[in-house]
Amino acid sequence: MTADPADHAGAGAGAGAGAGAGAGAGAGAGTPTALAITVSTRAARGEYADRTGPVLVAALRDMGFDTPDALVVPDLANAGEESLDDALRSAIAAGTDVILTTGGTGITVDDVTADVTANVSRTLGGRDVPGIPEALRAAGVAAGVPTAVLSRGVAVIVARTLVVNLPGSQGAVSDAIKVLTPVLPHAVAELRRPRPARMVGT
């Protein structure tokens, strides 16, 4: 569903330019890093304010993540795919530990977030984490929103970065934060664990 105008705030800078800046050096020692991306064409144009991105930023900071202000990109197919694609690839290349997107997860033709995320994961050799979107949809239904099952959001791991798509409404983001708060720090700790060297000659 394309995000509700009441659920968005402020225009963001360009996708590629802002995605890596402040999003962190990722995998390894130090404070874990995160990036929130609001996917909304009108918010990207500055037509209304982004109210979900800042909520995600505040929640991520409360979890202990070094998180810059939310990045805003358009969600129309003629701009959103390229802009979101660039933002995701830039943040992944920067080693960002967690990327949360909000908006563009519905079933209309211009809801491209899930498709773009899946394509980035596929082309970069990522893996799906189906339990997270399943839990997010279940939380929405439990909160009295039966249409939560229409969310097409996905969760993937690319390199050591966890990417999770959230819907664009404030209520859905609030429900998602409750699900993700106990999950994200543990997931990052697992992804940051040193990888054992491959046994040679065995």
Side-chain angles (χ1 to χ4, degrees):
M1 310 153 203
T2 303
D4 190 310
D7 295 331
H8 285 295
T31 303
T33 59
L35 176 67
I37 303 175
T38 298
V39 185
S40 167
T41 299
R42 285 186 287 175
R45 290 174 180 165
E47 295 177 8
Y48 55 75
D50 173 19
R51 294 180 184 172
T52 51
V55 171
L56 288 178
V57 169
L60 288 163
R61 289 173 178 169
D62 286 345
M63 292 181 222
F65 288 91
D66 181 5
T67 311
D69 291 341
L71 178 68
V72 184
V73 299
D75 64 354
L76 291 177
N78 64 355
E81 288 188 356
E82 179 179 358
S83 297
L84 180 58
D85 183 279
D86 290 348
L88 291 174
R89 291 177 188 274
S90 177
I92 291 166
T96 307
D97 290 299
V98 171
I99 304 171
L100 300 183
T101 70
T102 170
T105 62
I107 59 175
T108 66
V109 68
D110 59 348
D111 287 321
V112 300
T113 300
D115 307 287
V116 173
T117 303
N119 183 63
V120 169
S121 177
R122 182 170 56 252
T123 59
L124 295 180
R127 297 169 289 157
D128 293 341
V129 190
I132 293 178
E134 289 168 4
L136 296 176
R137 286 186 280 267
V141 173
V145 186
T147 54
V149 299
L150 296 177
S151 173
R152 298 172 54 243
V154 300
V156 298
I157 295 168
V158 184
R160 294 183 188 244
T161 299
L162 174 63
V163 184
V164 182
N165 300 152
L166 310 181
S169 74
Q170 289 178 280
V173 166
S174 178
D175 292 338
I177 289 169
K178 295 173 186 175
V179 172
L180 295 175
T181 295
V183 172
L184 295 184
H186 177 75
V188 169
E190 289 291 298
L191 291 171
R192 282 187 164 207
R193 282 171 50 190
R195 297 175 181 175
R198 292 184 179 274
M199 299 291 289
V200 179
T202 60

